[in-house]
Amino acid sequence: MVKEKPLHCDMRGMLSFLILFLLSKSAMHGQQLADEMEKRKGIRPSPGTIYPALKELKEAGLILEEKKGKTIVYHLSKGGERELKLAKQQFCRTFVGVFVRGNEG
Amino acid sequence: MVKEKPLHCDMRGMLSFLILFLLSKSAMHGQQLADEMEKRKGIRPSPGTIYPALKELKEAGLILEEKKGKTIVYHLSKGGERELKLAKQQFCRTFVGVFVRGNEG
DNA sequence: CCATATATATCGTATATCCGATATTTGGAG
DNA sequence: CTCCAAATATCGGATATACGATATATATGG
């Protein structure tokens, strides 16, 4: 079976989804992405987590690279924006009711 | 390595998290759980997905069974309620900004 | 009792996620 | 150019998620 499954099919793919979402907020390089995840989750993803995920998203055509000195800045492609929009809808429908004011603290 | 990892450690565990959340809303048996997921995600998890997940949650002491005629009704244990509360906080911090009014439709 | 339908359970296999370790690349300092 | 540190990349191994197929249990109808 080839890899034609959309990002929003099942419970797997949450890492890719989160990366797309973060990149939609601001283009970043890998370590900045790890910084942001650490801030949110409290746990820093290791290089062995973040770079293979970025590689897959790149190969799927959802993100684009831009070399900036020592780093590689990633940003969403048009396809990535489309995919993120769909995935967000799916995510929000699936987790309706989990987000309640007061859970964030 | 033994299984002492909390539910909210990384991106894996979203299925267990969703099951705990749904059961916290209402005690259900397996097929009702599948119904609810189908309503939310649009895709019905197969028996091979749902029952092993329930078994693990049961063995972890997070849910309790109650036989009701032909079915087995699951509900959260005290430990499951505690775990869900923590996992919800983690989830909400991680995905802050994804939930915006208008994404649900 | 027997047949059926529904619910539950298990198995083999595949994919996504994840880490620790290690390797490679690259810009800047000397 | 050489050295260093940071960023990126890859690898092996582990766990969670997922499906289709199959097996089992049980309430209900005949």
Side-chain angles (χ1 to χ4, degrees):
Chain A
M1 198 170 294
V2 257
K3 45 168 54 188
E4 307 222 345
K5 278 194 178 179
L7 202 59
H8 51 284
C9 240
D10 54 37
M11 236 36 140
R12 295 172 299 184
M14 296 298 289
L15 174 65
S16 302
F17 171 66
L18 183 57
I19 290 176
L20 281 191
F21 170 70
L22 294 176
L23 291 181
S24 79
K25 291 293 172 188
S26 165
M28 280 182 271
H29 63 261
Q31 290 306 308
Q32 287 176 322
L33 217 39
D35 291 344
E36 183 64 26
M37 288 194 193
E38 185 176 14
K39 201 188 306 177
R40 286 168 172 258
K41 295 200 304 167
I43 297 169
R44 186 181 191 80
S46 77
T49 298
I50 202 85
Y51 291 109
L54 285 168
K55 186 184 177 188
E56 282 188 11
L57 288 171
K58 182 183 64 182
E59 288 172 355
L62 301 181
I63 62 176
L64 299 172
E65 296 184 346
E66 190 182 353
K67 246 182 150 280
K68 273 275 178 54
K70 193 184 294 194
T71 70
I72 300 176
V73 175
Y74 296 93
H75 58 97
L76 295 198
S77 68
K78 283 294 174 193
E81 289 173 7
R82 270 195 306 273
E83 183 63 34
L84 177 61
K85 188 177 176 183
L86 290 173
K88 267 169 93 169
Q89 290 173 2
Q90 173 94 13
F91 178 89
C92 291
R93 277 199 308 270
T94 301
F95 293 102
V96 161
V98 177
F99 266 85
V100 182
R101 222 187 315 283
N103 275 335
E104 297 81 2
Chain B
M1 203 168 293
V2 258
K3 46 169 51 190
E4 307 222 346
K5 278 195 180 180
L7 202 61
H8 50 284
C9 238
D10 54 35
M11 238 33 142
R12 296 172 298 184
M14 296 299 288
L15 174 64
S16 302
F17 172 67
L18 184 58
I19 290 175
L20 280 192
F21 170 71
L22 293 176
L23 291 180
S24 78
K25 291 293 174 189
S26 166
M28 283 182 268
H29 63 260
Q31 290 306 308
Q32 287 175 322
L33 217 38
D35 291 345
E36 183 64 26
M37 288 194 194
E38 186 175 15
K39 200 189 306 177
R40 287 170 171 256
K41 295 199 306 168
I43 297 170
R44 187 180 189 81
S46 75
T49 297
I50 202 85
Y51 291 108
L54 285 168
K55 186 184 178 188
E56 283 189 11
L57 288 171
K58 182 183 64 180
E59 289 173 353
L62 300 180
I63 61 176
L64 300 170
E65 296 184 348
E66 189 181 354
K67 246 183 152 277
K68 274 274 177 58
K70 192 185 296 194
T71 70
I72 300 177
V73 175
Y74 297 92
H75 58 96
L76 293 199
S77 68
K78 283 293 173 193
E81 288 173 6
R82 271 195 304 274
E83 184 64 33
L84 176 60
K85 188 177 177 184
L86 290 173
K88 266 168 95 171
Q89 290 175 0
Q90 173 95 13
F91 179 88
C92 291
R93 277 199 307 269
T94 300
F95 293 102
V96 161
V98 177
F99 266 85
V100 181
R101 222 188 316 283
N103 276 335
E104 298 81 1

